[in-house]
Amino acid sequence: MQQLLQLVEQHKAGMPVGIFSVCSAHPWVLKAALRQAKARGTPVLVEATSNQVNQFGGYTGQTAAQFRDALWRLADEAGLARERVWLGRDHLGPNAWQDRPAQEAMALAETLIDDYVRAGFRKIHLDCSMSCAGDPSPLGDATVAERAARLCAVAERAWAQSGGEAPVYVIGTEVPVPGGAQEALAGLQVTTPQAVEQTLETHRIAWQKAELNDAWQRTIALVVQPGVEFDHHSVEHYQPQRADALSHFIERQPGMIYEAHSTDYQPPQAYRQLVRDHFAILKVGPALTFALREALFALDRIEREWLGERQSAQLCATLEQVMREQPQQWSRYYHGTPHQQYLDRHYSLSDRVRYYWPQPQVQQAVDGLLDNLRRSPVPLALLSQYLPDQARALNAGELSADPQEWVLHKVTQVLDDYHAACYPEGL
């Protein structure tokens, strides 16, 4: 994490540089990010969440060590040195166990953070803002900070015992919850400097009480709401003037920058402005799997037009069936008429489709789709109808004829916008 600390120093010295964090467990998204880092000569920051990866497997079925090993295998395949792969953990706290009493949820969170740090994860976002069973809602600032300090102490012990680079920490949370807003975006509030000052002070005191002064020196960022968010079908775009006071406040805090969550779907110029305004860690997740879904849905349509319904793998139909049979990952979020729920399941910006790609039936349909298109190459004109950017790149000799590469190319287009903002030309 020494390189990340150096990046923070460069930013604080006036250079408009940043880092973007890939918050996804999908292997194709990770492959695209690793390839981009290899081609651009930059590091890549990948962060996992407790829903994706935990001591019980999460929805990916992976523990922290298994996720790390899978990521490293992908890095080896991409020819990217492992030291350029930075491992992070997002929203580390009792988030996955909010339905349990705080004592039980925090004990599970302690095991979780111990596993992550021992597995080599070194950028740690401590977030204990969520109420557990029996807690008041919302929690008081002091309680949030004390619980975060408790987890920081566990991380420090795990690092001391396992060795390697010292962890760096991010504190605070954003409103609303991770993964996109569940309600309309009207009235979205930018974090005030007063709220930032309060969060910093309560956490500093909690760290001091827990004798974590050295760890506080490695606390590099604070999560805030700069006025960017998305819900199922709309995006709140960054407006620099709304965040002006917030931006100036952090300039007076040595060694500290902001981390911005839910930056998905912003226009490219917004990312550049966010980094210049000291929101120098940009988190992206659903936009990457949304692009992946768009490409796979396009391939499904191409396959059915090219080969006919009977010979196609029926990816979209299979996905719809699995999502209807296993509604746990979407039913709490998508409401309205049956048709509205159908549209949300497939096209919502929150992209809860991402939870279903690991399902065996869906994986089989994806594999069948790709195999069909490999055996029967698609005419350029048909590809252009549904994936025009990929068709142009293929026609120019810049892209392979393999259909999986078309999907990766579409994901990389999203990553390229973030890269351009964090690594400006001429620096």
Side-chain angles (χ1 to χ4, degrees):
M1 288 293 100
Q2 187 60 40
Q3 293 179 61
L4 181 54
L5 291 170
Q6 291 173 354
L7 185 145
V8 174
E9 290 177 2
Q10 290 172 341
H11 185 92
K12 298 298 287 188
M15 296 177 65
V17 295
I19 185 78
F20 62 94
S21 174
V22 177
C23 302
S24 178
H26 196 288
W28 291 13
V29 169
L30 298 176
K31 180 180 289 190
L34 293 161
R35 285 184 178 183
Q36 184 199 55
K38 169 66 174 177
R40 304 277 191 163
T42 59
V44 59
L45 172 60
V46 176
E47 299 199 48
T49 70
S50 56
N51 290 324
Q52 295 168 339
V53 177
N54 60 40
Q55 60 264 49
F56 306 108
Y59 73 77
T60 65
Q62 295 178 312
T63 64
Q66 290 170 332
F67 180 84
R68 173 205 62 201
D69 291 345
L71 184 62
W72 279 352
R73 285 193 295 271
L74 290 171
D76 293 344
E77 292 173 7
L80 182 67
R82 292 181 177 183
E83 57 265 23
R84 284 169 55 189
V85 182
W86 299 352
L87 292 167
R89 172 61 175 82
D90 195 25
H91 292 285
L92 211 162
N95 182 53
W97 304 287
Q98 295 178 57
D99 59 340
R100 306 192 188 193
Q103 184 175 358
E104 181 182 353
M106 285 297 294
L108 289 166
E110 287 183 340
T111 300
L112 182 67
I113 193 169
D114 185 82
D115 286 351
Y116 267 98
V117 174
R118 291 181 187 276
F121 289 71
R122 288 296 183 267
K123 178 189 173 292
I124 305 295
H125 173 210
L126 298 167
D127 180 10
C128 294
S129 62
M130 55 290 297
S131 297
C132 300
D135 279 339
S137 183
L139 288 179
D141 289 343
T143 301
V144 172
E146 288 167 6
R147 290 180 181 179
R150 173 178 166 182
L151 294 184
C152 183
V154 174
E156 290 290 288
R157 286 196 297 271
W159 162 58
Q161 294 169 6
S162 60
E165 286 192 290
V168 299
Y169 298 101
V170 177
I171 59 173
T173 190
E174 87 285 12
V175 180
V177 295
Q182 298 177 28
E183 300 176 355
L185 296 179
L188 181 66
Q189 298 295 314
V190 173
T191 304
T192 66
Q194 293 77 15
V196 174
E197 189 170 26
Q198 175 71 12
T199 297
L200 286 174
E201 183 62 12
T202 54
H203 280 73
R204 185 191 64 78
I205 291 171
W207 260 239
Q208 189 176 50
K209 287 181 178 178
E211 299 182 347
L212 293 168
N213 293 325
D214 184 61
W216 184 252
Q217 299 305 311
R218 287 180 270 112
T219 302
I220 62 168
L222 177 74
V223 177
V224 293
Q225 174 52 272
V228 300
E229 189 54 81
F230 60 92
D231 61 14
H232 298 322
H233 300 290
S234 60
V235 179
E236 185 77 15
H237 293 122
Y238 182 55
Q239 301 177 48
Q241 66 277 11
R242 293 184 63 198
D244 186 63
L246 181 62
S247 174
H248 287 304
F249 177 85
I250 205 68
E251 294 173 353
R252 304 191 299 272
Q253 309 302 318
M256 184 76 70
I257 56 176
Y258 289 132
E259 179 169 287
H261 292 205
S262 299
T263 67
D264 309 68
Y265 311 111
Q266 295 288 315
Q269 65 271 20
Y271 298 129
R272 294 191 290 270
Q273 189 63 54
L274 279 162
V275 171
R276 285 194 292 267
D277 289 347
H278 313 306
F279 306 98
I281 302 176
L282 303 177
K283 308 295 280 290
V284 55
L288 298 170
T289 46
F290 186 90
L292 177 139
R293 179 205 58 76
E294 282 186 314
L296 285 171
F297 276 26
L299 292 182
D300 172 84
R301 186 61 183 266
I302 289 170
E303 178 201 31
R304 288 187 287 121
E305 294 219 28
W306 179 232
L307 301 178
E309 295 288 341
R310 290 186 178 181
Q311 296 185 56
S312 70
Q314 297 292 328
L315 171 61
C316 288
T318 301
L319 185 62
E320 169 67 3
Q321 178 182 338
V322 172
M323 292 185 77
R324 288 175 65 88
E325 291 174 349
Q326 303 177 39
Q328 299 90 335
Q329 299 291 357
W330 63 265
S331 58
R332 289 182 298 147
Y333 304 92
Y334 301 153
H335 309 292
T337 66
H339 182 61
Q340 183 61 55
Q341 291 180 13
Y342 166 80
L343 291 175
D344 287 344
R345 279 195 299 273
H346 288 269
Y347 305 113
S348 167
L349 295 175
S350 63
D351 187 46
R352 303 199 72 80
V353 172
R354 69 186 186 274
Y355 293 96
Y356 292 88
W357 296 119
Q359 293 293 322
Q361 289 173 268
V362 178
Q363 285 187 328
Q364 184 177 1
V366 171
D367 291 342
L369 167 64
L370 296 183
D371 288 343
N372 285 343
L373 296 181
R374 285 166 179 152
R375 284 194 298 266
S376 301
V378 177
L380 183 66
L382 180 56
L383 176 63
S384 181
Q385 177 65 37
Y386 295 100
L387 290 171
D389 290 347
Q390 287 65 47
R392 281 192 291 271
L394 177 63
N395 193 44
E398 300 167 354
L399 185 61
S400 162
D402 187 272
Q404 184 182 358
E405 294 298 323
W406 306 341
V407 180
L408 296 178
H409 185 272
K410 192 165 180 63
V411 174
T412 302
Q413 288 181 305
V414 179
L415 294 168
D416 284 344
D417 287 341
Y418 281 88
H419 186 279
C422 293
Y423 302 98
E425 292 185 9
L427 291 179

